[in-house]
Amino acid sequence: MVIAIGFEGSANKLGIGIIKDGEVLSNCRTTYITPPGAGFLPKETALHHRENVLAVLKDAINESKIDVKDIDVVCYTKGPGMGAPLATVAVVARTVAQLWNKPLLGVNHCIGHIEMGRIITGAKNPTILYVSGGNTQVIAFCRKRYRIVGETIDIAVGNCLDRFARILKLSNAPSPGYNIEQLAKKGKKCVTLPYCVKGMDVSFSGILTYMEERAATLLKEGYTEEDLCFSLQEHVFAMLVETSERALAHCNSTEMMIVGGVGCNERLQEMMEIMCQERGATLFATDERYCIDNGLMIAHAGAEMYKSGIRMKWEDCTILQRYRTDAVEATWRKD
Amino acid sequence: MENFELIKQGAEARIFKGLYLGKPTLIKQRFEKKYRYPDLDEHLTKERIKAESRAIVRCKNVGIETPALYLIDLKKRCLYMEYFEHSITAKEFIMEASNEFIEKLSYDIGATLAKMHENNIIHGDLTTSNILIVNQFGEKCFFKDYSKLKLVLIDFGLAHIDNSAEDKGVDLYVLERAIISIHDNPEKIFGLILKAYRKNTNGHNNVIAKLDEVRLRGRKRLVVG
């Protein structure tokens, strides 16, 4: 039996979760929300994490009803992410590990998403679409590693959505993507936008530029904000579903899983579901508790690493802003 | 499309086989993708059928093996083309073939891509599943005599014409990634492909430099999660 605590703060979400052999004991989170039209910057985000981390930690411990003595391993996000927020949270994880005299493990954020998705949904060996504010990857497990089969060659899909929300000055609460999704539900007309798929890779910067340059004109020409949100979603999600389908076919896989913050978009899930039905595959998706960055996923992935015998020296418990999904050997997977 | 039999559902299309004008024929039907907004779906489908037909014709002109094109039916979203009775994908071939044959194949892939790029044809979706190995003598035998085999490129739906090193570099990069994600000894296979590519192109220095650049681009984009 392994009880693990996980600290996550690679972007604007600060999360701490405790897990006991796959059983969720607590999963607490707070989000740094910026005013409409503005994004989150490293310095201010780190400040937010610093101001809130102890309160979230207390909540997570209280909610879990465990004694900190019983924790086996302290896990934190090693990367990828923004430097300052990562470092802030890593310092706290390092401190409590020493206070409580527990081993410390740095976890790859992307692996956290994947392993959390697998345990929540029960998918065995899925092809994975990982979509968030900073990452867009199509991933398949092969030769002991999560291989990136396709990915964005410029900005992440979530970044494209967030920045489009800024053009329209939409609220960043609870998240820009959520507000785009709600508006898109009322959209009726679809504007033709650039559609950019290269093999299994995708590109979103062209669509964003197109929108930046033309949104104002389109609004004057009779398209509504709802129409623009709808058009954007239809285009970028179609690109993601298309590359996912190609990866499914390439890897002869029958399971598809969506993880990451954009993964809780219901229209994306719906499109993916239709694609899966058409080819006899099964879709696995999770809701916002596990899709959006959280501490629990770090705890769970860390626990898996810990059980498989991985230990880290203090001097290796650093942070990495760039840390690829395929840089980690999945020692805990037996297939 | 009577008397045609569905043999495969690929990522993009349904594949049927049968007889058309007395010839063994494959129909590639880009059926409606229900997940896509209908106008967008129709637009993309037509673009791709056109792209594929154009690229096939252009390849034929410069002597690259592709299936012969028999009929284009935009309304039914179908392409009719030559069906190879005895063929396997390069992916299947690599899984089973001897090292010697894999080396020969890798070299041939490199040489074929070189010819394609020399003529400014960008495939757009190079994978080992999109390269067919065909026995020229119609025998159902792939692992005995390499000289009887020929290499046929398929799936030109994302193809276009471009003379830039950028697009050629990305084309190679897409293939490299597909190989890494599926084959056991990717460095060796792709290394040989590049070696043959270099030998058979003139402007290869620019393209290889671009490939290196695109690879780095690949690593850079990992930022926040």
Side-chain angles (χ1 to χ4, degrees):
Chain A
M1 196 186 66
V2 171
I3 299 180
I5 184 168
F7 291 77
E8 153 64 29
S10 60
N12 68 336
K13 265 75 74 179
L14 169 68
I16 301 176
I18 301 177
I19 199 163
K20 176 174 144 190
D21 277 335
E23 181 198 340
V24 180
L25 299 182
S26 64
N27 190 16
C28 301
R29 179 167 60 206
T30 140
T31 306
Y32 170 52
I33 292 170
T34 47
F40 57 91
L41 299 168
K43 191 177 165 193
E44 290 76 15
T45 311
L47 179 64
H48 165 268
H49 291 1
R50 268 204 300 284
E51 284 170 344
N52 291 283
V53 65
L54 294 180
V56 177
L57 177 58
K58 272 185 197 149
D59 284 349
I61 293 169
N62 291 339
E63 208 176 282
S64 72
K65 302 199 174 58
I66 56 154
D67 192 323
V68 292
K69 301 203 296 288
D70 299 328
I71 292 174
D72 295 289
V73 58
V74 176
C75 316
Y76 73 98
T77 305
K78 182 169 181 170
M82 283 183 166
L86 277 175
T88 303
V89 177
V91 164
V92 177
R94 210 175 235 269
T95 310
V96 297
Q98 290 181 90
L99 280 175
W100 302 338
N101 197 23
K102 307 288 179 192
L104 185 62
L105 276 184
V107 176
N108 181 299
H109 181 87
C110 318
I111 302 284
H113 273 295
I114 296 171
E115 291 305 336
M116 198 67 215
R118 281 180 65 223
I119 193 169
I120 293 292
T121 63
K124 302 241 154 26
N125 186 18
T127 297
I128 303 144
L129 175 68
Y130 169 28
V131 274
S132 68
N135 289 288
T136 302
Q137 302 178 337
V138 183
I139 300 161
F141 187 72
C142 172
R143 285 172 287 126
K144 287 306 229 182
R145 277 173 206 266
Y146 286 104
R147 309 270 165 187
I148 302 168
V149 185
E151 62 188 314
T152 173
I153 55 167
D154 39 61
I155 58 173
V157 62
N159 192 236
C160 177
L161 293 171
D162 290 355
R163 285 160 72 177
F164 174 68
R166 280 179 229 159
I167 301 174
L168 295 186
K169 295 271 190 310
L170 301 182
S171 164
N172 287 324
S175 72
Y178 178 82
N179 294 322
I180 290 178
E181 181 180 357
Q182 302 318 310
L183 285 175
K185 285 178 182 166
K186 291 176 234 144
K188 295 204 171 57
K189 285 187 285 183
C190 191
V191 192
T192 304
L193 302 174
Y195 184 98
C196 194
V197 167
K198 300 184 186 211
M200 274 186 264
D201 289 339
V202 287
S203 155
F204 298 107
S205 64
I207 302 181
L208 182 65
T209 308
Y210 187 95
M211 276 301 198
E212 279 170 349
E213 285 171 357
R214 292 181 183 75
T217 326
L218 287 166
L219 288 171
K220 274 186 211 138
E221 281 170 1
Y223 289 100
T224 61
E225 289 194 347
E226 285 84 351
D227 292 335
L228 297 189
C229 291
F230 172 67
S231 310
L232 181 65
Q233 279 202 168
E234 288 303 310
H235 279 79
V236 296
F237 293 164
M239 286 161 57
L240 294 172
V241 176
E242 182 182 349
T243 43
S244 299
E245 181 169 20
R246 207 168 272 151
L248 271 179
H250 185 63
C251 303
N252 290 325
S253 175
T254 55
E255 293 181 328
M256 184 76 220
M257 184 168 85
I258 312 180
V259 298
V262 182
C264 53
N265 186 301
E266 286 171 1
R267 177 59 183 148
L268 174 60
Q269 291 188 5
E270 180 189 35
M271 288 164 78
M272 198 66 95
E273 179 69 51
I274 298 170
M275 181 277 281
C276 285
Q277 275 172 10
E278 276 176 356
R279 51 181 309 115
T282 316
L283 175 67
F284 296 91
T286 56
D287 61 37
E288 49 84 29
R289 286 170 300 169
Y290 309 111
C291 254
I292 297 177
D293 292 352
N294 60 82
L296 196 64
M297 67 186 207
I298 301 302
H300 173 59
E304 291 288 317
M305 290 163 69
Y306 182 77
K307 279 192 264 185
S308 76
I310 295 182
R311 300 292 180 271
M312 276 182 192
K313 291 189 209 135
W314 281 103
E315 55 265 39
D316 293 332
C317 288
T318 52
I319 58 152
L320 291 169
Q321 281 164 277
R322 291 173 193 171
Y323 190 17
R324 300 260 304 174
T325 315
D326 51 14
V328 181
E329 190 180 338
T331 47
W332 55 92
R333 276 191 67 160
K334 299 285 170 266
D335 44 350
Chain B
M1 274 173 58
E2 310 90 58
N3 302 325
F4 274 80
E5 166 202 1
L6 177 71
I7 52 171
K8 193 184 154 211
Q9 176 160 344
E12 235 201 316
R14 293 200 179 103
I15 308 295
F16 300 85
K17 97 176 184 193
L19 279 179
Y20 175 70
L21 302 177
K23 289 178 182 156
T25 298
L26 177 145
I27 299 182
K28 180 170 182 179
Q29 185 188 36
R30 289 185 160 84
F31 61 97
E32 205 183 323
K33 292 279 178 192
K34 295 253 165 33
Y35 67 81
R36 264 196 307 235
Y37 185 74
D39 293 0
L40 175 64
D41 185 57
E42 193 173 322
H43 173 72
L44 286 175
T45 301
K46 291 200 169 145
E47 285 301 310
R48 286 179 186 175
I49 292 178
K50 284 186 217 160
E52 177 149 30
S53 330
R54 283 194 190 116
I56 286 180
V57 171
R58 199 161 169 126
C59 279
K60 284 273 174 219
N61 281 340
V62 299
I64 296 168
E65 292 278 355
T66 63
L69 200 55
Y70 296 155
L71 181 75
I72 304 165
D73 187 340
L74 278 180
K75 226 177 194 158
K76 290 189 180 144
R77 304 166 159 239
C78 287
L79 275 182
Y80 288 51
M81 53 188 132
E82 181 180 3
Y83 177 73
F84 297 102
E85 200 62 56
H86 296 301
S87 69
I88 57 173
T89 63
K91 177 176 146 189
E92 294 161 336
F93 185 82
I94 292 170
M95 302 264 181
E96 282 183 49
S98 65
N99 274 338
E100 187 202 338
F101 276 25
I102 293 177
E103 280 174 24
K104 283 185 172 157
L105 174 73
S106 306
Y107 193 88
D108 285 349
I109 293 177
T112 307
L113 298 186
K115 198 186 225 178
M116 197 177 80
H117 283 176
E118 284 286 279
N119 289 284
N120 299 327
I121 304 164
I122 310 297
H123 184 284
D125 189 16
L126 286 172
T127 68
T128 46
S129 309
N130 287 343
I131 299 171
L132 287 187
I133 313 295
V134 176
N135 187 310
Q136 306 187 55
F137 297 88
E139 297 160 17
K140 201 182 173 177
C141 169
F142 305 101
F143 304 106
K144 283 208 182 104
D145 186 352
Y146 189 84
S147 67
K148 286 187 177 172
L149 306 178
K150 67 173 179 179
L151 201 149
V152 177
L153 292 183
I154 58 169
D155 276 358
F156 284 91
L158 295 178
H160 61 279
I161 306 298
D162 198 300
N163 64 2
S164 71
E166 163 80 21
D167 283 27
K168 292 173 188 174
V170 170
D171 220 19
L172 293 176
Y173 178 66
V174 166
L175 176 65
E176 180 179 31
R177 290 264 303 285
I179 292 175
I180 290 173
S181 68
I182 207 130
H183 293 297
D184 286 335
N185 43 357
E187 294 83 10
K188 192 173 155 204
I189 297 175
F190 194 70
L192 282 167
I193 291 177
L194 274 193
K195 195 174 156 195
Y197 184 89
R198 277 203 187 92
K199 222 180 213 167
N200 290 283
T201 41
N202 289 323
H204 62 76
N205 282 339
N206 291 338
V207 177
I208 305 290
K210 258 299 175 213
L211 172 64
D212 289 337
E213 196 186 307
V214 176
R215 280 178 180 143
L216 283 179
R217 215 185 279 166
R219 304 195 76 82
K220 238 180 357 193
R221 71 192 144 235
L222 244 217
V223 219
V224 210

